[in-house]
Amino acid sequence: MENIWLEAQANLKHVLTEQTYTTWIEPLKFLGATADTVVLEVPSSFFQKWVTDKYLAMIKEVLSAITSKTYHIEFHVAEAKPELPEPRTEKEPKAKGKEKDKEKEGEKEKEKEKDKKPELVPNLNPKYTFESFVSGPSNQFAYAASQAVANKPASNYNPLFIYGGVGLGKTHLVNAIGNQILAKNPKAKICYYSSEKFMNEMINSLRYKKMDEFRNKFRKMDLLLIDDIQFMAGKEATQEEFFHTFNALYESHKQIVVTSDKFPKDIPGLEERLRSRFEWGLIADIQPPGVETKVAILKKKSDMHAVNLPDDVALFLAEGATSNIRELEGMLIRLEAFASLTGKEITLSMAREVMKDIIVEKTRDISVEMIQKMVADHFRIKLSELKSDKRIKTLVVPRQIAIYICRELTKASYPEIGEKFGGKDHSTIIHSVKKIEKQLAADADLKATVEDIKKRLFT
Ligand SMILES: Nc1ncnc2c1ncn2[C@@H]1O[C@H](COP(=O)(O)OP(=O)(O)OP(=O)(O)O)[C@@H](O)[C@H]1O
């Protein structure tokens, strides 16, 4: 739930001015949550009143957009101890008198009932499931591998190593594995940890001489999910500890899933013995999604939020966003918040207005000429050849790629692009765009080339 709160804060950051966000939203600290209430810490009662008056509705809105549930928000002024439900593992204080005993008995029964029900491990994010994940050409492999692991843990693909750029769905997929295994076997011991959290906990355990506890906790897991392993790079003691945890789990045929932003070999400062272990299993990548997948994700998310997102708006957002899905989601939340706060339907013109600082900034800065130069440099051909009519393959492909990127990243119309490519007819331009679009779905190398050129245009 804490992750959800952090995500809600990130979304509010998009909607509010920086000053409002830093003054009123950033200081709200997540204290805990029950099934329907989120408890936040505020620095003072005045602060609480102000936030309640001005931002409570928006906070609830954003939380419900993320979770598809309505939450109450409880505020606790700093230092006033919140009355969160006791964690079930902690011992109840002894009750005095018979009445109290009876009450306690009743509660214990209820607790037992709860124990019977499948319950999500607290550190898995319940909304990250396979059902809520959109698979497309860019993530198909990692998606299929994750499903295979969830269906048959610790058999063929152990460890599973998923790598890909920021915000492309790695955390979502590993949580989906955990959630699916847990749904089938509510007693499965599953642990999702970022490698940073693993390291911090290890340091604390060392400090308080609780290393045995730390080790045992991980080594009795059926499924260990470690996110962003690249943070362990250069942290020798952490890697050492993780190495032993890995071995212990692997030898007892327990599943391990690791994510990273890079291929194991490309993580600097990762010890050879860990790297080679990651290569024992299956390494699956997630590539940046194409426009179609981005549209499908937006459609799915807006359906989940019960918001009507017209196709043209979805396409506008998908074309305007970078490949980071988190950024794409942020745009959607911003648009949804705007529509909900103004009581208006989402339309393309509204989207243009709401996104003007984000999307236009990006497209405005990139010109046809910049793209032509970048593509010509990339393929080591002359600009004049790129714009020419010569039909040899070494020129046709770069030309079509350049045209495709112009269409994607600039506001130039088909005839305008044709004009800048040596006076070509607009039908030639449409043909080039369609051709690349079609090939992108099937050709991973082409996709990587296009993404690489686009990335360099933005940096
Ligand atoms: N294919 C997808 N379908 C639906 N949602 C997706 C998809 N890919 C990513 N998302 C959403 O995008 C957001 C970012 O994804 P996630 O946190 O899993 O990315 P990540 O690759 O782990 O990023 P980081 O490198 O920052 O850790 C999440 O809200 C996730 O649900």
Side-chain angles (χ1 to χ4, degrees), residues 204-308:
N204 271 332
S205 306
L206 278 170
R207 203 156 108 207
Y208 298 109
K209 303 199 171 19
K210 287 189 172 165
M211 270 318 274
D212 284 348
E213 220 173 276
F214 176 81
R215 283 183 183 136
N216 290 338
K217 169 169 141 183
F218 288 102
R219 289 175 197 184
K220 61 175 194 244
M221 290 296 152
D222 298 312
L223 170 66
L224 178 63
L225 308 162
I226 297 282
D227 211 356
D228 289 323
I229 198 87
Q230 74 276 4
F231 285 120
M232 280 191 197
K235 320 264 177 14
E236 281 161 31
T238 311
Q239 288 191 38
E240 162 99 26
E241 191 54 44
F242 181 67
F243 175 76
H244 295 299
T245 304
F246 182 103
N247 287 344
L249 288 174
Y250 188 85
E251 277 155 23
S252 12
H253 304 286
K254 300 300 163 79
Q255 178 72 44
I256 302 145
V257 182
V258 172
T259 78
S260 164
D261 65 346
K262 293 184 194 71
F263 192 78
K265 231 185 260 162
D266 299 330
I267 306 175
L270 183 71
E271 280 182 32
E272 173 60 27
R273 55 186 182 164
L274 264 184
R275 188 183 65 71
S276 73
R277 266 159 185 76
F278 293 152
E279 288 171 3
W280 281 352
L282 178 68
I283 302 181
D285 66 321
I286 305 189
Q287 293 295 326
V291 171
E292 297 89 339
T293 307
K294 286 197 263 181
V295 167
I297 292 173
L298 283 168
K299 287 297 224 177
K300 178 141 214 161
K301 302 260 170 194
S302 56
D303 280 354
M304 281 162 54
H305 305 166
V307 167
N308 178 34

Side-chain angles (χ1 to χ4, degrees), residues 33 40 67 118 170 179 187 211 215 292 316 338 352 365 376 398 409 416 428:
L40 300 173
T67 56
K170 302 181 293 293
N179 282 321
K187 292 203 175 117
M211 270 318 274
R215 283 183 183 136
E292 297 89 339
F316 168 71
F338 186 85
R352 285 216 163 98
D365 287 339
L409 299 186
E416 281 164 354
T428 312

Side-chain angles (χ1 to χ4, degrees), residues 23-61:
T23 316
W24 301 110
I25 305 295
E26 203 173 38
L28 297 174
K29 263 200 239 137
F30 178 84
L31 286 184
T34 62
D36 61 357
T37 306
V38 173
V39 188
L40 300 173
E41 185 182 86
V42 283
S44 64
S45 342
F46 166 75
F47 196 108
Q48 173 178 348
K49 188 173 174 331
W50 187 272
V51 171
T52 308
D53 287 344
K54 305 269 178 190
Y55 305 112
L56 187 60
M58 199 187 263
I59 291 172
K60 283 183 169 179
E61 186 99 41

Side-chain angles (χ1 to χ4, degrees), residues 329-348:
E329 279 187 320
M331 287 183 175
L332 181 64
I333 300 281
R334 183 183 166 112
L335 196 56
E336 288 176 354
F338 186 85
S340 149
L341 295 171
T342 57
K344 289 184 186 153
E345 289 278 303
I346 295 178
T347 60
L348 186 57

Side-chain angles (χ1 to χ4, degrees), residues 7 66 125 127-136 138-139 143 163-175 192 227-228 230-231 259-261 286 289 293 296-298 300-301 304 323-329:
E7 195 174 336
I66 297 173
N125 185 333
K127 84 185 173 107
Y128 289 165
T129 60
F130 287 122
E131 290 70 38
S132 62
F133 190 86
V134 175
S135 82
S138 56
N139 57 33
Y143 178 72
Y163 76 97
V166 174
L168 296 187
K170 302 181 293 293
T171 304
H172 189 135
L173 272 184
V174 291
N175 275 271
Y192 164 83
D227 211 356
D228 289 323
Q230 74 276 4
F231 285 120
T259 78
S260 164
D261 65 346
I286 305 189
T293 307
I297 292 173
L298 283 168
K300 178 141 214 161
K301 302 260 170 194
M304 281 162 54
S323 25
N324 183 335
I325 312 283
R326 197 175 292 118
E327 203 178 301
L328 194 65
E329 279 187 320

Side-chain angles (χ1 to χ4, degrees), residues 364-380:
R364 192 183 49 200
D365 287 339
I366 289 172
S367 64
V368 170
E369 289 76 10
M370 280 163 69
I371 295 169
Q372 287 173 328
K373 181 160 183 338
M374 187 65 83
V375 173
D377 286 351
H378 180 93
F379 289 98
R380 295 170 206 266

